C-alpha cells in the first residue's frame, strides 16, 4: 500500500475495472426486488458543469447504497440530443448537428465516467438516432388515428430569431427561453397533442404522487387549472353576435361594469367601431409582442382600450362597455371575461385606471362595503346585494342558483374549464424528429405507413439558421407519394418538440436493444415505474407533465401497464457561487475537470454532497473542497497505519472486551445507524458525511491514546465500517482501502447492519451456564438480546468447549444477568 493518497492513479484503475467487467450492468431478476433509479438525462452540450456533477452524484450515492441493500438497481444514462441548442451551436461552429452531438456525447460520456458514476452503459440511448425516434413516430401515428394528434390553426408564440413556435412554458418574461429574443404572436397551422383529453386524470392522479415534493404537485395542479362555473352569452349591441364568457363567480354577475376580451379574439375585427379602429389596432399590435405567458400577465400592468362596442347584460338588460385588455388570454376559457371590479383585484385595478364603475354585489358578514372607499377588491364570500331576485342569498348558494337560471333560460351552460391547453409540438427547425405525415391534394393529410418508418432526417442539408426550416427546401425529402392513392404528395417539414423525446426515454431504457417493437414487454413490466427520479425544479411543468401525459397515452395504446412514470421525485437545488447561479456571463463557472484534476473525483463528489442537503441550493466553496480532500487524506493515512496490524482479525465482537473496545464498538454501530437513517429515509447526504467525519476524528483520538492488541478487532470493524459507509460517496478510495484490508470488492458487499445492543452506552457482565452449570462470564452491551449474548459467549474458548458439536435446543436469558445454554448430547 502506498503511503500517500494518489487519487488519479486509484480512480483510473477502478474506473477501468468497472468498465471492463461491466460491473453495473443489470438484468431482470424475479428473485430480487427491483429499484429503478434515474436522473434526468442531459442535453449533450459538450462539457458537464457542477449542476450535472451534483445531480448525477446524488443519484449515484443512492444507486450504490441500494445495491448494497440487495436491490436489483437499474441506473442508466443517455442523451437528449435533438433540439435548437444543438442546431444553433452547429451553425455557430460551422459543422453538422449530428457531428456536433456525437462529439459532445463522446466527451461528456468520458467526463461522467471520470466521476465514477455507476451507470449501466449498455442501456445508453441517443434520442437523435432513427432507431429511437422511429418509435416516437409510430406513437404519433397511433395518436393521430385515435384523435389525440391533430392539425389546427392557432395563435402561437413565435420566436423570430429561432424561427420556431414556442410552447407557453418556453416563453419567459416575454422572451424565448433559448435565445432571449422578444416573442411575438402569430397565427400558424400546427400539430397538437390532445393533452386536454387527460386533464382530469392528470389532475386527479396528482394526489397519488405521495413521493413528490408538494411544491411540484401544486405547480402542476395550478398549470392544469381546473375551474367549475358556467358559460354565459352576452349579446353585442347593434350586432347579431354574442360574447361567450366563462366565470367561476356567477354570484357576481350583477356587479359587471365592463367586459374584457383578448387581443386575439376573432370578433375584434367585427365589433370595433370606426372611431376606435386605429387605437385598437395599435394596441393589439403592441400587446402581441412578448407572447402570452400567464405569469407575466398576472403580475404586469393592466392595460386596455375601448372597442366602441357595448354588450347587453342578460340579467339586467343594461349596456356594458367592451375593452380589449392585455390580461385576457384567448387560450383560456373563451377569450372574453366579465369584469366585476368590486370583487376581482385585476378588474379593480383596470377600473381604477380607466375610471370605470365599481358596483358591490357581495357584502361580507358584519361589514358594509362602500365602492367609493374601497382600496382593493373584496374577493371573499358573503351575502348577495344589488342582485335582483338573488339579493339576500348566501353567495355560495347563489352560485348554484344563478347557474340554474342561466341554464333554464338558455342564456348559457354549466361548465368545467381547464387552463391546460393542447400541446403544440410543431417546430420549424431542422434538428428534430420528423413528423410522419404527408399532404395529398386528393386524399388530404395521411400518416406514413408504419412499415416505412422511420421517416429519417436527411443529413445532406444546408443549415443557416435563417428563414424556414431547411427541410422545406430539401426536394428529395419533401416530395413523396401518397400512401393511399400513390399520387404525388408532400412531407410534413415541421419536426417534433424535443420534449417528445424526453417524455418516454425512461421507458426505452428498460429494453434499449428491442428492435421489432419499442419495448420488451417483460422488461418494461419488470422495471417500470421509475422508483426514484432526480432533476431540477425547473422541469416541474414542462417535462414532468408531458412525461405523465405520454405515459398515460402509452398505457391506453397498450404499451405500458403503469399510469404514472415516477413514484418518487427529488428536485435538487442549484450550485451557486458568489451568491449567484454559475454562468459564463457572470464569470463564476467552476470547471469540474479542473477540480477532478487537482483534487480527484472522490473529493469533488464528497464536497458536492457534504456542502448542502440535496434539495437546497449549494454555495461553492474552495475551502470546502480542500476540507473534503483533507478528510480523504486522513482516512488514507489511518488505514495505511493499521492495515498490517489488523490483518487476521475478523472484526467480530469478542467475549469480555474491555471498555476501550466497547467504546469503539458503540461508535461504529451508532455511526452505522446515523448514516443508514439519513441515506435511506431522508436523503440527508450532508449529515451522512458529517457522521463519517466525526467517526474518523474519534478513531484518531483513540489512535493517539494507543490501540492495544485487545482493541484491534474492534478497531478493524471500525475501519471496515467507515470504508463501506463512505463507499457510495467516494467509491474509488474506499474500494482501494477495502482491498488493502483484504476484503472482497465493495461492489458485491452488503450494507452493514447495526447491533442495537451497541447503540446503548453501558455494558453488563453476564453469567453463562451450559445446561444449568456455570461455565464462565462475558461482558456484553447492556440490554443485549439472547442471540447477541450467545454469539459473544460462543467466542469464549472455555464456553465454546462445552457447546461445540452439540445442538443448541434453547437459550434462556435473564437480561443483563444470566444466559443458560441448553444443549443436547
Amino acid at each position: 500500500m502506498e503511503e500517500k493518497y494518489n487519487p488519479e492513479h486509484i480512480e483510473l484503475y477502478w474506473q477501468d475495472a468497472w468498465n471492463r467487467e461491466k460491473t453495473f450492468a443489470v438484468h431482470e431478476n424475479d428473485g430480487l426486488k427491483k429499484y429503478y433509479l434515474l436522473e434526468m438525462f442531459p442535453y449533450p452540450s459538450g462539457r458537464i458543469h457542477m449542476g450535472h456533477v451534483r445531480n448525477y452524484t446524488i443519484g449515484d450515492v443512492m444507486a450504490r447504497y441500494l445495491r448494497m441493500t440487495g436491490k436489483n438497481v437499474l441506473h442508466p444514462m443517455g442523451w437528449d440530443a435533438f433540439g435548437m441548442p444543438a442546431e444553433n451551436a452547429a451553425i455557430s461552429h460551422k459543422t453538422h448537428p449530428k457531428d456536433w452531438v456525437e462529439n459532445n456525447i463522446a466527451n461528456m460520456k468520458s467526463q461522467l465516467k471520470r466521476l465514477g458514476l455507476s451507470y449501466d452503459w449498455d442501456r445508453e440511448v441517443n434520442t437523435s438516432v432513427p432507431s429511437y425516434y422511429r418509435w416516437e413516430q409510430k406513437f404519433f401515428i397511433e395518436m393521430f388515428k385515435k384523435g389525440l394528434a391533430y392539425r389546427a390553426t392557432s395563435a402561437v408564440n413565435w420566436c423570430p430569431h429561432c424561427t420556431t413556435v414556442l410552447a407557453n412554458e418556453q416563453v419567459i418574461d416575454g422572451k424565448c427561453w433559448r435565445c432571449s429574443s422578444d416573442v411575438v404572436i402569430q397565427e400558424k397551422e400546427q400539430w397538437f397533442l390532445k393533452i386536454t383529453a387527460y386533464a382530469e386524470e392528470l389532475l386527479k392522479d396528482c394526489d397519488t404522487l405521495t413521493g413528490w415534493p408538494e411544491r411540484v404537485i401544486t405547480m402542476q395542479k395550478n398549470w392544469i387549472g381546473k375551474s367549475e362555473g358556467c358559460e354565459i352569452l352576452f349579446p353585442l349591441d347593434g350586432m347579431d353576435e354574442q360574447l361567450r364568457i366563462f366565470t367561476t363567480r356567477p354570484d357576481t354577475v350583477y356587479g359587471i361594469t365592463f367586459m374584457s376580451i383578448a387581443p386575439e379574439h376573432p370578433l375584434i375585427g367585427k365589433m370595433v367601431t370606426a372611431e376606435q379602429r386605429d387605437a385598437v389596432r395599435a394596441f393589439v399590435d403592441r400587446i402581441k409582442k412578448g407572447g402570452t405567458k400567464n405569469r407575466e400577465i398576472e403580475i404586469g400592468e393592466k392595460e386596455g382600450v375601448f372597442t366602441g362596442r357595448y354588450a347587453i347584460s342578460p340579467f339586467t338588460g343594461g349596456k356594458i362597455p367592451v375593452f380589449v385588455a392585455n390580461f385576457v388570454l384567448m387560450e383560456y376559457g373563451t377569450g372574453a371575461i366579465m369584469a366585476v371590479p368590486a370583487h376581482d383585484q385585476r378588474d379593480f385595478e383596470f377600473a381604477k385606471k380607466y375610471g370605470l364603475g365599481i358596483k358591490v354585489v357581495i357584502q361580507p358578514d358584519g361589514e358594509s362595503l362602500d365602492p367609493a372607499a374601497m382600496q382593493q377588491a373584496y374577493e371573499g364570500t358573503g351575502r348577495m346585494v344589488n342582485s335582483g331576485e338573488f339579493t339576500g342569498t348566501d353567495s355560495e348558494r347563489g352560485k348554484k342558483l344563478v347557474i340554474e337560471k342561466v341554464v333554464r333560460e338558455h342564456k348559457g351552460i354549466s361548465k368545467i374549464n381547464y387552463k391546460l391547453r393542447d400541446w403544440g409540438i410543431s417546430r420549424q427547425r431542422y434538428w428534430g424528429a420528423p413528423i410522419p405525415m404527408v399532404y395529398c391534394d386528393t386524399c388530404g393529410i395521411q400518416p406514413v405507413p408504419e412499415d416505412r418508418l422511420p421517416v429519417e432526417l436527411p443529413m445532406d442539408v444546408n443549415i443557416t439558421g435563417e428563414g424556414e426550416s431547411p427541410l422545406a427546401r430539401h426536394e428529395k425529402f419533401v416530395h413523396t407519394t401518397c400512401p393511399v392513392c400513390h399520387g404525388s404528395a408532400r412531407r410534413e417539414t415541421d419536426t417534433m418538440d424535443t420534449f417528445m423525446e424526453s417524455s418516454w426515454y425512461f421507458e426505452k431504457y428498460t429494453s434499449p436493444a428491442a428492435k421489432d417493437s419499442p419495448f420488451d414487454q417483460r422488461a418494461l413490466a419488470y422495471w417500470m415505474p421509475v422508483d426514484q427520479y432526480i432533476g431540477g425544479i425547473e422541469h416541474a411543468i414542462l417535462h414532468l407533465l408531458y412525461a405523465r401525459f405520454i405515459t398515460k397515452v402509452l398505457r391506453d395504446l397498450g404499451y405500458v401497464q403503469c399510469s404514472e412514470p415516477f413514484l418518487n421525485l427529488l428536485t435538487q437545488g442549484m450550485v451557486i457561487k458568489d451568491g449567484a447561479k454559475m454562468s459564463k456571463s457572470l464569470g463564476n463557472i467552476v470547471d469540474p475537470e479542473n477540480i477532478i484534476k487537482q483534487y480527484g473525483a472522490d473529493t469533488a463528489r464528497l464536497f458536492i454532497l457534504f456542502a448542502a442537503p440535496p434539495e437546497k441550493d449549494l454555495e461553492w466553496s474552495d475551502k470546502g473542497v480542500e476540507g473534503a480532500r483533507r478528510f480523504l487524506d486522513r482516512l488514507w493515512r489511518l488505514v495505511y497505519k493499521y492495515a498490517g496490524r489488523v490483518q487476521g482479525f475478523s472484526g467480530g465482537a469478542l467475549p469480555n472486551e474491555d471498555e476501550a473496545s466497547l467504546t469503539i464498538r458503540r461508535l461504529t454501530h451508532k455511526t452505522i445507524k446515523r448514516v443508514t437513517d439519513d441515506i435511506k429515509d431522508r436523503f440527508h447526504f450532508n449529515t451522512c458525511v458529517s457522521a463519517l467525519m466525526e467517526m474518523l476524528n474519534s478513531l484518531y483520538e483513540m489512535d493517539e491514546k494507543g490501540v492495544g492488541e485487545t482493541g484491534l478487532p474492534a478497531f478493524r470493524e471500525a475501519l471496515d465500517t467507515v470504508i463501506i459507509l463512505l463507499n457510495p460517496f467516494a467509491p474509488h478510495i474506499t474500494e482501494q482501502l477495502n482491498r488493502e484490508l483484504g476484503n472482497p470488492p465493495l461492489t458485491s458487499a452488503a450494507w452493514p447492519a447495526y447491533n442495537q445492543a451497541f447503540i446503548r452506552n453501558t455494558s453488563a457482565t453476564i453469567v453463562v451456564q451450559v445446561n444449568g452449570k456455570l461455565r464462565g462470564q462475558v461482558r456484553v452491551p447492556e440490554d443485549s438480546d439472547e442471540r447477541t449474548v450467545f454469539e459473544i459467549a460462543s467466542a469464549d474458548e472455555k464456553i465454546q468447549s462445552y457447546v461445540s458439536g452439540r445442538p443448541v435446543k434453547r437459550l434462556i436469558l435473564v437480561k443483563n444477568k444470566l444466559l443458560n445454554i441448553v444443549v443436547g448430547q
Side-chain angles (χ1 to χ4, degrees):
M1 180 179 179
E2 295 181 9
E3 183 176 359
K4 188 175 181 181
Y5 171 42
N6 183 343
E8 182 176 16
H9 172 74
I10 292 168
E11 290 168 2
L12 292 176
Y13 172 83
W14 285 106
Q15 288 163 14
D16 179 67
W18 297 330
N19 186 61
R20 185 176 62 254
E21 297 169 11
K22 295 186 179 295
T23 302
F24 307 113
V26 67
H27 306 282
E28 298 77 49
N29 185 337
D30 293 331
L32 293 176
K33 186 175 181 180
K34 73 92 178 179
Y35 198 98
Y36 188 174
L37 178 74
L38 184 64
E39 304 98 49
M40 295 179 186
F41 67 168
Y43 153 67
S45 60
R47 300 185 68 82
I48 63 172
H49 52 67
M50 278 301 170
H52 289 132
V53 174
R54 190 180 195 198
N55 188 6
Y56 304 144
T57 302
I58 288 169
D60 198 56
V61 170
M62 289 304 301
R64 290 177 179 272
Y65 161 74
L66 288 163
R67 291 189 191 101
M68 288 182 171
T69 66
K71 302 290 194 306
N72 193 28
V73 179
L74 173 58
H75 190 212
M77 177 50 68
W79 313 98
D80 192 10
F82 267 145
M84 287 188 293
E87 186 170 339
N88 291 341
I91 293 168
S92 176
H93 290 82
K94 294 181 171 55
T95 186
H96 196 283
K98 181 176 183 292
D99 297 331
W100 173 260
V101 162
E102 288 178 351
N103 289 335
N104 287 353
I105 286 175
N107 189 41
M108 290 181 71
K109 185 174 180 179
S110 174
Q111 291 178 308
L112 294 180
K113 286 187 173 183
R114 187 62 185 86
L115 277 168
L117 302 171
S118 60
Y119 293 128
D120 180 356
W121 285 107
D122 288 346
R123 295 175 181 268
E124 181 181 10
V125 299
N126 175 345
T127 63
S128 67
V129 299
S131 60
Y132 181 88
Y133 64 73
R134 68 169 292 195
W135 302 116
E136 186 172 306
Q137 292 174 339
K138 177 177 170 61
F139 300 152
F140 180 90
I141 290 170
E142 293 186 46
M143 292 176 73
F144 173 76
K145 291 178 179 179
K146 287 187 174 291
L148 293 174
Y150 65 93
R151 188 166 173 81
T153 299
S154 175
V156 297
N157 299 308
W158 178 259
C159 175
H161 180 267
C162 295
T163 58
T164 193
V165 171
L166 302 175
N168 278 343
E169 303 93 326
Q170 295 169 321
V171 181
I172 308 299
D173 296 329
K175 297 182 182 297
C176 173
W177 74 319
R178 288 298 191 191
C179 70
S180 298
S181 296
D182 288 336
V183 173
V184 298
I185 299 173
Q186 288 189 4
E187 292 282 333
K188 285 188 174 292
E189 273 204 311
Q190 303 289 307
W191 281 100
F192 292 87
L193 299 185
K194 203 169 185 180
I195 191 173
T196 53
Y198 288 80
E200 185 61 30
E201 186 181 359
L202 286 165
L203 182 65
K204 177 175 61 69
D205 284 356
C206 281
D207 294 333
T208 70
L209 302 175
T210 56
W212 285 38
E214 189 60 38
R215 178 184 177 191
V216 176
I217 294 296
T218 299
M219 292 170 74
Q220 291 224 348
K221 286 183 175 180
N222 289 342
W223 191 259
I224 296 168
K226 182 178 182 179
S227 302
E228 298 185 30
C230 65
E231 206 170 78
I232 306 173
L233 299 173
F234 286 74
L236 289 171
D237 188 35
M239 293 179 64
D240 189 21
E241 298 281 0
Q242 296 175 314
L243 278 182
R244 289 185 307 114
I245 67 95
F246 173 79
T247 180
T248 59
R249 291 296 306 270
D251 54 319
T252 66
V253 292
Y254 287 87
I256 301 170
T257 60
F258 65 96
M259 309 283 285
S260 298
I261 62 175
E264 305 83 18
H265 199 287
L267 287 180
I268 285 181
K270 293 182 180 181
M271 72 163 54
V272 174
T273 61
E275 296 81 3
Q276 291 295 107
R277 191 170 304 282
D278 289 344
V280 170
R281 182 183 294 115
F283 177 80
V284 169
D285 288 345
R286 178 168 62 84
I287 296 303
K288 281 188 175 182
K289 295 180 180 178
T292 59
K293 186 64 176 174
N294 301 47
R295 181 170 64 248
E296 179 182 69
I297 289 170
E298 286 298 320
I299 64 175
E301 182 182 359
K302 311 303 180 289
E303 295 182 87
V305 61
F306 182 40
T307 63
R309 184 71 59 181
Y310 293 83
I312 306 299
S313 170
F315 301 97
T316 68
K319 290 186 177 182
I320 307 169
V322 181
F323 283 74
V324 181
N326 68 334
F327 57 82
V328 184
L329 300 175
M330 192 64 221
E331 62 182 21
Y332 178 56
T334 65
I337 65 171
M338 64 181 213
V340 186
H343 305 294
D344 182 279
Q345 184 61 29
R346 184 178 54 185
D347 297 341
F348 181 86
E349 294 173 12
F350 192 92
K352 285 288 188 180
K353 180 172 183 176
Y354 293 101
L356 301 170
I358 298 176
K359 181 181 179 182
V360 172
V361 291
I362 305 291
Q363 288 284 10
D365 293 338
E367 295 184 46
S368 181
L369 298 176
D370 179 2
M374 292 179 71
Q375 297 300 310
Q376 62 183 25
Y378 172 69
E379 298 180 331
T381 59
R383 179 172 43 85
M384 295 176 69
V385 297
N386 303 318
S387 299
E389 64 193 89
F390 302 105
T391 297
T393 304
D394 174 79
S395 60
E396 286 300 305
R397 173 169 165 73
K399 290 180 181 179
K400 298 177 182 178
L401 294 177
V402 171
I403 292 175
E404 290 175 1
K405 176 182 175 69
V406 166
V407 173
R408 184 175 60 251
E409 298 180 1
H410 305 291
K411 296 176 179 177
I413 57 173
S414 176
K415 192 172 183 180
I416 294 174
N417 248 7
Y418 298 90
K419 284 174 63 179
L420 183 66
R421 299 292 90 189
D422 283 339
W423 176 11
I425 65 161
S426 294
R427 297 294 178 266
Q428 291 70 42
R429 293 305 292 260
Y430 163 71
W431 191 240
I435 296 175
M437 306 298 290
V438 299
Y439 300 92
C440 174
D441 291 338
T442 303
C443 305
I445 301 174
Q446 297 294 330
V448 173
E450 292 184 18
D451 61 2
R452 297 184 191 173
L453 297 179
V455 176
E456 291 196 28
L457 196 64
M459 295 294 109
D460 55 335
V461 294
N462 179 29
I463 308 170
T464 65
E466 298 177 359
E468 62 184 352
S469 165
L471 288 180
R473 302 189 298 269
H474 194 286
E475 295 280 331
K476 290 182 180 179
F477 179 82
V478 173
H479 296 297
T480 185
T481 58
C482 173
V484 177
C485 70
H486 306 294
S488 178
R490 305 176 311 282
R491 287 195 191 279
E492 171 63 73
T493 58
D494 285 355
T495 54
M496 295 193 210
D497 182 0
T498 54
F499 281 106
M500 278 292 289
E501 284 84 66
S502 60
S503 293
W504 66 283
Y505 78 103
F506 40 87
E507 280 137 351
K508 188 58 178 172
Y509 277 144
T510 66
S511 47
K515 294 182 178 179
D516 297 328
S517 61
F519 315 111
D520 177 290
Q521 286 300 315
R522 179 180 177 275
L524 189 67
Y526 178 83
W527 291 114
M528 285 297 292
V530 175
D531 294 278
Q532 181 67 60
Y533 201 33
I534 303 171
I537 189 69
E538 66 271 18
H539 298 291
I541 295 172
L542 280 168
H543 163 58
L544 290 171
L545 186 62
Y546 293 153
R548 294 181 63 216
F549 163 55
I550 292 298
T551 293
K552 293 178 188 298
V553 170
L554 293 180
R555 175 203 62 196
D556 292 345
L557 292 176
Y559 289 107
V560 304
Q561 298 176 13
C562 60
S563 295
E564 287 291 340
F566 314 119
L567 293 181
N568 298 286
L569 175 68
L570 173 65
T571 54
Q572 90 280 357
M574 296 186 298
V575 180
I576 60 178
K577 188 173 187 289
D578 303 326
K581 180 181 178 181
M582 288 188 181
S583 70
K584 292 180 181 178
S585 61
L586 295 176
N588 62 349
I589 289 288
V590 175
D591 189 339
E593 282 195 354
N594 294 337
I595 297 299
I596 292 171
K597 184 176 181 179
Q598 183 174 357
Y599 297 102
D602 281 338
T603 294
R605 291 169 59 114
L606 197 64
F607 166 74
I608 215 85
L609 295 162
F610 176 61
E615 70 279 5
K616 303 293 185 182
D617 288 347
L618 181 155
E619 176 70 40
W620 183 265
S621 165
D622 293 335
K623 289 184 178 180
V625 177
E626 293 166 0
R629 174 58 191 268
R630 283 196 300 272
F631 167 72
L632 297 180
D633 281 330
R634 294 182 74 221
L635 176 62
W636 182 273
R637 290 196 299 269
L638 190 66
V639 175
Y640 175 82
K641 180 176 181 179
Y642 280 89
R645 291 187 65 193
V646 299
Q647 293 291 344
F649 294 104
S650 67
L654 298 175
N656 301 317
E657 287 189 317
D658 57 26
E659 190 57 35
S661 295
L662 290 175
T663 298
I664 298 173
R665 301 280 187 199
R666 286 191 285 268
L667 169 68
T668 298
H669 288 267
K670 285 182 178 180
T671 304
I672 294 173
K673 185 178 188 307
R674 283 182 63 186
V675 173
T676 301
D677 290 347
D678 282 346
I679 198 174
K680 177 182 68 174
D681 299 328
R682 295 184 280 268
F683 291 97
H684 288 179
F685 303 139
N686 57 320
T687 57
C688 292
V689 176
S690 178
L692 293 170
M693 290 178 171
E694 291 174 21
M695 181 175 178
L696 186 64
N697 288 339
S698 297
L699 292 178
Y700 263 95
E701 291 174 4
M702 295 171 184
D703 169 61
E704 290 176 3
K705 295 176 182 178
V707 179
E709 289 298 310
T710 59
L712 288 177
F715 207 79
R716 167 63 189 257
E717 182 190 34
L719 291 178
D720 285 341
T721 298
V722 74
I723 287 170
I724 196 169
L725 294 180
L726 184 62
N727 177 256
F729 304 86
H732 309 89
I733 185 174
T734 51
E735 198 69 78
Q736 184 69 28
L737 293 176
N738 182 67
R739 187 171 71 172
E740 298 296 345
L741 291 175
N743 295 323
L746 290 174
T747 49
S748 59
W751 188 258
Y754 60 87
N755 188 327
Q756 188 66 44
F758 285 119
I759 301 300
R760 301 179 181 89
N761 290 321
T762 56
S763 60
T765 300
I766 302 293
V767 172
V768 180
Q769 297 177 342
V770 178
N771 290 341
K773 295 183 180 181
L774 178 64
R775 298 304 184 190
Q777 293 181 340
V778 294
R779 184 178 296 166
V780 300
E782 188 176 14
D783 295 331
S784 293
D785 61 20
E786 60 187 27
R787 180 54 54 184
T788 300
V789 177
F790 175 71
E791 290 176 354
I792 294 175
S794 297
D796 183 276
E797 290 184 7
K798 181 181 177 182
I799 297 172
Q800 190 180 49
S801 67
Y802 292 98
V803 176
S804 181
R806 304 170 72 181
V808 177
K809 295 187 173 182
R810 190 178 177 192
L811 298 174
I812 303 171
L813 176 68
V814 179
K815 189 166 285 189
N816 298 324
K817 293 183 178 181
L818 178 145
L819 175 69
N820 182 22
I821 306 171
V822 181
V823 298
Q825 298 302 317

